[in-house]
Amino acid sequence: MNRPTDDDCIFCSIVAGDIPSHTVYEDDEVLAFLDVNPLAPGHTLVIPRGHYPTFGDAPNTSLSAVFDTIGALTPAVERAVAADASNVGFNNGPASGQEVPHLHGHIIPRFEGDGGRPLHAVGGRPPDLADDEFEEIATSIADEL
Ligand code: AMP
């Protein structure tokens, strides 16, 4: 199958087998491997084989496969490292902190008292929205679908 690839992308090099990784799962659509700079033991990345920088670039088949894999892997990762919980998330675009421009989900095991923070810690200054602004935003999002 012809998938987009980028010669300058480190994750494409992992998909091609040109750079080694600690692979934990692979199939026709996705690859999952340990993050080389883990935030916790078992920190795992799940990527589509195709080079799609963000959600908006990726076809549904890749997105479905990534989410199915994350769904199956997350409890397995937790059990493997005896984690109490996990954070699962994506940096989606450079302004969010995404450093590798190849879509990837992070599974980050969490342990009671590990000093980490919830996903809510990633946001900027929270907006103070009135009810009509919530409604306007909700409508705008629905209109964009
Ligand atoms: P992000 O900031 O969401 O783009 O995260 C990129 C992640 O990729 C970081 O957590 C890096 O530690 C990880 N990473 C970069 N290069 C490699 C590599 N060769 N193998 C495994 N993980 C990597």
Side-chain angles (χ1 to χ4, degrees):
M1 178 188 283
N2 267 347
R3 293 191 178 85
T5 186
D6 182 334
D7 290 347
D8 297 326
C9 172
I10 195 156
F11 287 175
C12 286
S13 296
I14 288 175
V15 169
D18 296 336
I19 290 181
S21 70
H22 296 283
T23 305
V24 301
Y25 176 78
E26 61 183 317
D27 62 26
D28 285 349
E29 288 291 335
V30 304
L31 191 61
F33 51 91
L34 296 182
D35 194 297
V36 76
N37 291 307
L39 293 173
H43 182 168
T44 299
L45 302 176
V46 180
I47 71 171
R49 286 187 181 272
H51 181 85
Y52 308 108
T54 66
F55 280 102
D57 305 306
N60 283 340
T61 45
S62 295
L63 293 177
S64 299
V66 165
F67 276 95
D68 283 352
T69 302
I70 288 174
L73 264 183
T74 299
V77 168
E78 289 183 4
R79 286 194 301 272
V81 298
D84 298 307
S86 52
N87 291 113
V88 178
F90 293 74
N91 294 319
N92 191 50
S96 72
Q98 184 180 8
E99 290 182 356
V100 178
H102 182 132
L103 183 71
H104 54 281
H106 293 257
I107 302 170
I108 305 169
R110 295 295 302 272
F111 302 86
E112 294 291 347
D114 64 12
R117 303 185 63 196
L119 280 181
H120 284 72
V122 303
R125 192 175 329 115
D128 185 16
L129 298 175
D131 272 353
D132 58 335
E133 291 173 302
F134 276 104
E135 193 52 41
E136 193 181 323
I137 292 167
T139 302
S140 296
I141 294 170
D143 287 349
E144 288 292 337
L145 286 174

